[in-house]
């Protein structure tokens, strides 16, 4: 809770009682009513307000510049760029900068490649480089047309690329989501990415044997756009990786047997509750975590047996029957919070 400083806030008729500032706090000005000690009158005065370090961190986060995505597989690698290089934004990112956010030439922005590399620079609507006065006047109408259409924008880099390590442990989420309709699959992808899933694996089972394309462009393209959008919105240097669909047997071979110190959980009805297992039996050190959620109708007995035979822990999420997407989000949220305690 913010505490009020009474430093240099004495009225003409006497002093004012109050609480001292907390250490390592920052001062902001605010208007507050207080009672004068000597006259007993209520007066309005402008005085500093102490904000905690947590509030300052939140304020600093709010001041972060807009974030744009630069494809990791493009010809120009973000991690190999230098100060002064010009990075062109693709059509979607350029339109978002010029039309949606209405940024101006020279505004500070950040570029993420989705694989841990971050670089800062300034938006350039003229196509890169510094124009002289004559060329600037000559190309003014061209720049305005580009801005209205949302095209031709880029970034002039002002800092060296900085690479961030991905947080450990990493959580992969495998969900049999072929039966999800009406945008439920897209909503699940968005929330898993926001919570911090490192990757998502569409799971093919006997009761969910295929992944519906879901209309024009397919789910893969839509989910990739959602993953990138969440990365920019939540200021995460890494985007959630989308893996190819696989069967239960392929999941076991690729993501459990071949992974070093992998630990896997499968949501099973009437199994041991997740929280008691985490407190009593959860390995303290592991490399990759895998969350497995079955389709509507659950796994078959044969599929559950395959998972249990390869060291997967069956756990439950309470006495309520949850939808597929709700179970995936609930289990990932618990894992993310529990490992930070």
């Amino acid at each position: 809770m913010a505490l009020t400083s009474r430093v240099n806030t004495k009225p003409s008729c006497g002093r004012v009682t109050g609480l001292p500032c907390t250490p390592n706090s920052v001062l902001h000005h605010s208007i507050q009513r207080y009672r004068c000690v000597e006259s007993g009158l209520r007066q309005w005065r402008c005085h500093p307000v102490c904000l905690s370090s947590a509030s300052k961190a939140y304020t600093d986060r709010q001041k972060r510049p807009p974030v744009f995505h630069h494809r990791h597989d493009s010809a120009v690698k973000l991690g190999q760029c230098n100060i002064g290089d010009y990075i062109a934004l693709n059509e979607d990112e350029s339109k978002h900068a010029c039309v949606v956010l209405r940024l101006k030439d020279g505004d500070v922005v950040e570029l993420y490649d989705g694989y841990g590399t971050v670089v800062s620079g300034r938006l350039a609507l003229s196509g890169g480089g510094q124009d002289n006065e004559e060329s600037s006047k000559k190309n003014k109408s061209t720049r305005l047309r580009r801005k209205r259409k949302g095209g031709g924008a880029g970034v002039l880099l002002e800092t060296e690329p900085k690479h961030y390590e991905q947080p450990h442990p990493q959580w992969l989420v495998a969900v049999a989501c072929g039966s999800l309709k009406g945008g439920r699959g897209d909503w699940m992808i968005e929330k898993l990415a926001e919570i911090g899933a490192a990757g998502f694996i569409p799971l093919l089972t006997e009761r969910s044997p295929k992944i519906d394309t879901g209309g024009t462009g397919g789910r893969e393209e839509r989910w990739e756009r959602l993953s990138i959008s969440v990365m920019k919105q939540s200021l995460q240097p890494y985007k959630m990786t989308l893996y190819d669909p696989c069967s239960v047997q392929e999941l076991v071979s690729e993501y459990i047997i071949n992974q070093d110190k992998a630990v896997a959980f499968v949501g099973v009805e009437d199994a041991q509750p997740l929280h008691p297992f985490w407190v009593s039996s959860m390995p303290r050190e592991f490399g990759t975590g895998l969350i497995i959620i079955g389709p509507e109708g659950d796994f078959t007995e044969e599929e559950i047996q395959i998972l249990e035979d390869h060291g997967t822990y069956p756990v439950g999420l309470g006495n309520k029957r949850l939808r597929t997407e709700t179970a995936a989000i609930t289990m990932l949220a618990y894992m993310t919070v529990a490992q930070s305690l």
Side-chain angles (χ1 to χ4, degrees), residues 4 27 29 72 80 88-89 91 124 149 168 177 215 219 225 231 237 287 291 295 297 309 335:
T4 302
L27 296 180
H29 287 279
H72 181 71
Q80 300 174 358
L89 298 177
E91 183 178 354
K149 295 180 181 178
H168 289 279
C177 55
R219 284 190 173 184
R225 291 196 300 268
M231 174 195 69
I291 296 172
D309 290 344
M335 301 297 189

Side-chain angles (χ1 to χ4, degrees), residues 114-115 166 172 197-201 224 227 238-243:
Y115 291 84
Q166 193 163 15
L172 305 179
F200 178 78
I201 308 166
E224 180 69 17
S227 178
Y238 286 84
K239 69 179 184 66
M240 185 175 70
T241 304
L242 300 175
Y243 295 93

Side-chain angles (χ1 to χ4, degrees), residues 150-193:
V155 178
L156 287 171
L157 305 187
E158 291 188 336
T159 63
E160 293 290 345
K162 184 176 181 180
H163 185 77
Y164 293 87
E165 295 296 331
Q166 193 163 15
H168 289 279
Q170 302 175 23
W171 286 100
L172 305 179
V173 183
V175 182
C177 55
S179 61
L180 301 185
K181 307 292 184 181
R184 289 163 53 196
D186 295 351
W187 181 81
M188 176 186 64
I189 292 294
E190 182 181 58
K191 300 312 168 186
L192 291 176

Side-chain angles (χ1 to χ4, degrees), residues 10-327:
K10 295 181 180 179
S12 58
C13 56
R15 64 183 180 84
V16 178
T17 59
L19 296 172
C21 293
T22 57
N24 301 323
S25 60
V26 293
L27 296 180
H28 292 262
H29 287 279
S30 177
I31 301 294
Q32 184 168 329
R33 198 176 186 184
Y34 59 86
R35 183 185 296 275
C36 178
V37 175
E38 296 184 6
S39 66
L41 299 177
R42 293 186 181 275
Q43 302 182 25
W44 294 96
R45 288 291 186 272
C46 178
H47 62 79
V49 175
C50 299
L51 301 180
S52 64
S53 57
S55 299
K56 182 178 184 299
Y58 175 78
T59 304
D60 293 342
R61 191 175 182 86
Q62 292 294 95
K63 294 180 180 179
R64 290 285 296 273
V67 174
F68 298 95
H69 177 244
H70 178 72
R71 291 185 62 89
H72 181 71
D73 56 357
S74 61
V76 180
K77 303 296 183 183
L78 198 61
Q80 300 174 358
C81 294
N82 300 310
I83 297 177
D85 289 350
Y86 175 81
I87 303 294
L89 298 177
N90 62 32
E91 183 178 354
D92 291 338
E93 295 294 278
S94 182
K95 183 176 181 179
H96 187 238
C98 300
V99 179
V100 179
L101 298 180
R102 298 185 179 184
L103 299 180
K104 299 179 181 180
D105 200 14
D107 285 349
V108 178
V109 298
E110 287 185 344
L111 283 179
Y112 289 15
D113 68 349
Y115 291 84
T117 302
V118 177
V119 64
S120 299
R122 293 189 178 272
L123 189 67
L125 303 180
S126 57
Q130 296 292 335
D131 296 332
N132 55 36
E133 183 178 356
E134 182 179 355
S135 62
S136 178
K137 293 179 180 179
K138 182 178 179 181
N139 296 327
K140 182 178 180 180
S141 61
T142 303
R143 293 198 303 272
L144 290 175
R145 286 196 301 271
R146 285 177 175 176
K147 184 174 182 179
R148 293 191 190 101
K149 295 180 181 178
V155 178
L156 287 171
L157 305 187
E158 291 188 336
T159 63
E160 293 290 345
K162 184 176 181 180
H163 185 77
Y164 293 87
E165 295 296 331
Q166 193 163 15
H168 289 279
Q170 302 175 23
W171 286 100
L172 305 179
V173 183
V175 182
C177 55
S179 61
L180 301 185
K181 307 292 184 181
R184 289 163 53 196
D186 295 351
W187 181 81
M188 176 186 64
I189 292 294
E190 182 181 58
K191 300 312 168 186
L192 291 176
E194 286 183 13
I195 296 172
F200 178 78
I201 308 166
L203 190 58
L204 305 178
T205 67
E206 183 176 332
R207 293 169 180 165
S208 180
K210 63 179 182 179
I211 302 295
D212 186 17
T213 57
T216 305
R219 284 190 173 184
E220 183 178 352
E221 293 183 7
R222 290 206 317 278
W223 288 354
E224 180 69 17
R225 291 196 300 268
L226 282 172
S227 178
I228 293 173
S229 176
V230 169
M231 174 195 69
K232 297 190 297 181
Q233 181 270 331
S234 56
L235 301 178
Q236 300 179 30
Y238 286 84
K239 69 179 184 66
M240 185 175 70
T241 304
L242 300 175
Y243 295 93
D244 294 331
C246 66
S247 65
V248 172
Q249 188 61 56
E250 292 170 339
L251 181 74
V252 168
S253 301
E254 183 68 23
Y255 299 99
I256 298 180
I257 298 177
N258 294 336
Q259 295 293 329
D260 183 33
K261 294 183 179 180
V263 58
F265 299 88
V266 56
V268 178
E269 189 176 6
D270 298 328
Q272 178 184 5
L274 174 59
H275 179 68
F277 174 84
W278 183 279
V279 173
S280 61
S281 306
M282 179 64 186
R284 296 306 173 190
E285 295 184 2
F286 58 94
T288 302
L290 177 62
I291 296 172
I292 306 171
I293 302 295
E296 295 182 358
D298 213 342
F299 292 108
T300 63
E301 293 183 3
E302 293 77 9
E303 290 168 337
I304 293 178
Q305 191 62 48
I306 292 174
L307 294 172
E308 292 182 353
D309 290 344
H310 291 86
T312 301
Y313 300 107
V315 293
L317 294 174
N319 56 2
K320 296 182 177 63
R321 179 175 295 177
L322 304 179
R323 289 183 180 271
T324 299
E325 67 274 20
T326 308

